[in-house]
Amino acid sequence: MSASFASALGAAHDAAAAQHYPQGALYVVATPIGNLADITLRALHVLQLADTLACEDTRHTQSLLRAYGIDKPSAQLLAVHQHNEAEAAQAVLARLQQGQRVAYVSDAGTPGVSDPGARLAGAVRAAGLRVLPLPGASSITAALSVAGAVASGVAESGFVFAGFLPTKTAERQAAVQRLQAEPRCTVLLEAPHRIGELAQALAVLGERPVTLARELTKQFEEITTLPASGLADWLAGAPQRAKGEFVVLLHPAAASEDDGDSLRVLRLLLQELPLKSAVRLAAEITGAPRNALYDTALAWKREPPGDAD
């Protein structure tokens, strides 16, 4: 156990032991995304209390437990990852039905968001058993909390979680085109060996602000906001910038004052004209950017807007 956490287990017991922890329940436990001090006291208590730990990677979890001074035999660790989640859920259900407390942890962060765990939670709920969340670290909310990525209108507030974009070039470009028409903040995740390709794909967004957050909560944490067209150059500016896991936030597109008029004109023209002709005329009539109108028209074609009031 690290000396830094010598008193943590005692504090966890004092703070959390008096609470109720039902048997036969699945505890979904968030773990640190880098900084070990971000563990919660309740998480430490449940990790000690659990009869079984379901883990994305048993070796990684065992190292994490040892850092906090928690000793669990290998028989109490059960591998549940993206490749075996469906079948491993049955093993978890069997233990829950025996009255065990099972804690599920991914390698880092909150399970079931971008990491495995959602199918497991769904299977446990479908069996009529309890699933209890133990909230904690998340790279998504950590990045959002410091980016200041605020939409201009109340109706367009909030964010969209898109996760990892497709790896094939054409599919990724199509996904970026769809995101271009999304008025809310969009959250992406990317691995270090593909961040350069993502930066090139996002360059079509031009001056739209993008926040890159890498190595969150770790020693070399770096958070920067710059235009989408400058992402590739920024990454190339220093070798270490392409290392570590990335959260990428596409800030909401800036709304122009005539957005409402241009979209109304576009919608009327689309009722009478082919898409390209309607976009060209709408841009000429309203002065709105043709590319933005074209992306909106494509989005409407996939999912038509509601009737005007």
Side-chain angles (χ1 to χ4, degrees):
M1 175 174 55
S2 169
S4 302
F5 299 106
S7 60
L9 295 186
H13 182 273
D14 293 341
Q19 301 171 21
H20 179 54
Y21 300 92
Q23 295 179 305
L26 176 68
Y27 295 82
V28 180
V29 183
T31 56
I33 58 176
N35 192 318
L36 291 178
D38 288 337
I39 192 75
T40 70
L41 294 178
R42 193 154 67 109
L44 286 175
H45 182 71
V46 167
L47 290 175
Q48 294 178 88
L49 184 67
D51 302 294
T52 294
L53 291 183
C55 321
E56 184 180 3
D57 185 326
T58 57
R59 294 167 299 179
H60 179 92
T61 299
Q62 193 69 274
S63 297
L64 184 70
L65 295 175
R66 289 182 182 130
Y68 297 124
I70 299 173
D71 184 25
K72 292 282 185 181
S74 298
Q76 287 187 272
L77 272 60
L78 179 67
V80 181
H81 46 73
Q82 63 177 347
H83 302 296
N84 77 341
E85 193 171 1
E87 55 267 33
Q90 299 306 310
V92 171
L93 284 173
R95 300 193 185 202
L96 292 173
Q97 289 162 350
Q98 295 168 8
Q100 290 191 18
R101 298 181 182 93
V102 178
Y104 178 71
V105 295
S106 63
D107 285 349
T110 302
V113 180
S114 63
D115 295 330
R119 290 187 180 88
L120 174 59
V124 173
R125 286 195 174 279
L129 299 170
R130 296 187 65 178
V131 181
L132 304 175
L134 271 68
S138 165
S139 62
I140 297 164
T141 54
L144 282 166
S145 70
V146 297
V150 181
S152 59
V154 175
E156 298 173 354
S157 62
F159 67 92
V160 176
F161 176 62
F164 291 90
L165 293 188
T167 57
K168 294 183 178 179
T169 301
E171 294 177 0
R172 185 169 57 244
Q173 290 174 339
V176 171
Q177 287 183 347
R178 291 192 295 271
L179 294 177
Q180 193 169 6
E182 172 55 58
R184 294 164 292 181
C185 175
T186 301
V187 183
L188 305 175
L189 301 176
E190 194 51 273
H193 63 281
R194 284 200 298 265
I195 189 61
E197 296 172 3
L198 178 62
Q200 292 175 1
L202 294 178
V204 298
L205 300 182
E207 295 300 304
R208 187 164 176 176
V210 176
T211 294
L212 290 179
R214 56 174 291 271
E215 295 287 83
L216 284 171
T217 78
K218 300 177 183 177
Q219 181 179 358
F220 300 108
E221 173 184 275
E222 192 168 12
I223 302 169
T224 188
T225 300
L226 62 163
S229 59
L231 295 177
D233 287 342
W234 183 84
L235 287 169
Q240 73 274 12
R241 288 177 178 170
K243 297 179 180 179
E245 301 297 323
F246 285 82
V247 180
V248 181
L249 304 181
L250 309 185
H251 288 231
S256 62
E257 292 182 359
D258 68 342
D259 270 353
D261 289 339
S262 64
L263 296 182
R264 280 192 291 273
V265 170
L266 177 62
R267 178 150 51 179
L268 289 171
L269 291 172
L270 285 170
Q271 294 174 7
E272 305 294 336
L273 298 171
L275 187 145
K276 289 185 178 179
S277 297
V279 168
R280 177 176 55 79
L281 284 175
E284 291 177 0
I285 293 169
T286 66
R290 183 180 295 188
N291 288 344
L293 291 175
Y294 184 76
D295 292 334
T296 299
L298 286 178
W300 285 353
K301 188 175 181 180
R302 289 187 292 269
E303 185 176 349
D307 295 334
D309 293 336

